[in-house]
């Protein structure tokens, strides 16, 4: 073969991988683009009946949503929810990953069983925790009374702060194993020679953690922080099944408000406008987190 005939062959061979993944990419693009375009279209119309058309309203839905105090209250509740989940999940995940990175009898079984709470269906988790935290017949209240921490049963979903705290702990209990497994994989990529050299230099375990483990975990934590923030913001099932946004709207996050607006108040246009605004906020937050937490390259 001459060089002239080799070039088209190389060019076609270079295009082959892209042709093979083109159907999958097209399907992925369709599943992402079509709902987004549909949501934007609905947000520009005054739709009162699900599945029906409505007159074009332009930016009226957006202006009405932005002027609604309920929207801003739900957005503030979502911020508390996201921050609370991020802190609790990260703390539990780091502790669990450090424990599972050690060598002790049954560590392999522990590494498998830790993901049990992550794979259990949400409805089952809600039923279990509703029973455990029940003021009458639950197991948590009698245990706290025996330990002397409380003198009478507590209604974990009776007040706003207690309900939000309970929801954050339950959701974090469910999701921290996923973060822990990711951190464990990152920990196992750290060479043991680095720790041995630090130990020879006289560094204690705490110094080794902050000098070696924590800096090397930062890239993984960055990705998990962005993913966890987006996933936590969109959590609906746990909140709705346990409190339905109560008491008195104290746990009404933005996804819960969007659901109520669309399927209880039958204001599809307003709900779609909230969804679009929430999506833009999440994109902006993700970009801000990446810019703020990503390691900066040193310029010479």
């Amino acid at each position: 073969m001459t060089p002239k005939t080799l070039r088209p062959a190389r060019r076609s061979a270079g295009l082959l991988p892209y042709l093979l993944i083109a159907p999958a990419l097209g399907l992925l693009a369709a599943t992402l683009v079509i709902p987004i375009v549909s949501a934007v279209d609905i947000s520009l119309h005054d739709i009162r009946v699900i599945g029906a058309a409505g007159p074009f309203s332009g930016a009226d839905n957006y202006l009405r949503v932005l002027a609604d105090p309920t929207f801003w209250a739900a957005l503030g509740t979502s911020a508390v929810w996201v921050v609370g989940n991020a802190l609790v999940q990260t703390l539990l995940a780091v502790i669990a990953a450090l424990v599972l990175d050690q060598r002790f009898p049954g560590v392999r079984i522990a590494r498998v069983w830790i993901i049990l709470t992550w794979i259990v269906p949400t409805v089952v988790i809600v039923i279990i925790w509703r029973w455990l935290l029940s003021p009458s017949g639950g197991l948590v209240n009698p245990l706290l009374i025996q330990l002397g921490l409380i003198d009478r049963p507590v209604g974990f979903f009776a007040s706003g702060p207690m309900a939000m705290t309970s929801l954050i702990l339950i959701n974090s209990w469910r999701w921290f194993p996923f973060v822990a497994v990711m951190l464990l994989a990152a920990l196992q990529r750290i060479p043991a020679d680095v720790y041995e050299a630090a130990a020879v230099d006289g560094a204690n375990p705490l110094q080794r953690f902050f000098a070696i483990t924590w800096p090397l975990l930062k890239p993984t934590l960055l990705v998990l922080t962005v993913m966890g923030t987006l996933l936590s913001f969109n959590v609906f099932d746990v909140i709705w099944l346990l409190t339905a946004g109560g008491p008195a709207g104290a746990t009404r996050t933005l996804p819960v408000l969007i659901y109520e607006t669309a399927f209880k108040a039958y204001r599809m246009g307003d709900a779609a406008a909230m969804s679009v605004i929430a999506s833009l906020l999440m994109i902006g937050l993700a970009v801000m987190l990446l810019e703020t937490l990503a390691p900066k390259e040193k310029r010479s």
Side-chain angles (χ1 to χ4, degrees), residues 20-37:
L20 292 176
I21 65 173
L25 290 177
L27 180 61
L28 179 62
T31 56
L32 291 174
V33 173
I34 292 176
I36 293 174
V37 172

Side-chain angles (χ1 to χ4, degrees), residues 75-235:
L75 185 60
T77 304
S78 293
V80 174
W81 167 260
V82 169
V83 173
N85 275 278
L87 294 176
V88 176
Q89 288 181 30
T90 302
L91 178 62
L92 294 177
V94 170
I95 294 173
L98 291 174
V99 171
L100 294 176
D101 193 42
Q102 308 303 314
R103 295 181 180 179
F104 57 88
V107 64
R108 292 190 177 182
I109 298 176
R111 290 174 181 175
V112 174
W113 278 90
I114 192 176
I115 65 172
L116 181 63
T117 60
W118 182 51
I119 63 177
V120 173
T122 303
V123 175
V124 177
I125 290 176
V126 168
I127 292 173
I128 292 173
W129 277 104
R130 184 179 289 167
W131 168 63
L132 289 174
L133 298 178
S134 173
S136 58
L139 296 180
V140 175
N141 272 307
L143 178 61
L144 295 178
I145 292 175
Q146 289 181 2
L147 293 174
L149 298 177
I150 57 175
D151 55 359
R152 58 182 178 179
V154 175
F156 289 96
F157 302 110
S159 65
M162 183 64 74
M164 177 59 75
T165 302
S166 302
L167 286 174
I168 289 174
L169 292 176
I170 292 171
N171 191 67
S172 299
W173 173 84
R174 184 191 180 191
W175 285 100
F176 90 88
F178 171 76
V179 182
V181 170
M182 298 296 104
L183 292 178
L184 178 61
L187 284 173
Q188 293 184 337
R189 291 199 302 267
I190 301 175
D193 298 342
V194 180
Y195 290 107
E196 294 174 0
V200 170
D201 290 338
N204 59 42
L206 192 61
Q207 290 173 330
R208 293 198 294 268
F209 174 78
F210 284 106
I212 300 173
T213 306
W214 186 253
L216 294 178
L217 281 181
K218 279 186 177 179
T220 304
L221 281 172
L222 169 63
V223 176
L224 292 175
T225 298
V226 176
M227 287 180 55
T229 299
L230 300 179
L231 292 175
S232 295
F233 183 87
N234 290 316
V235 168

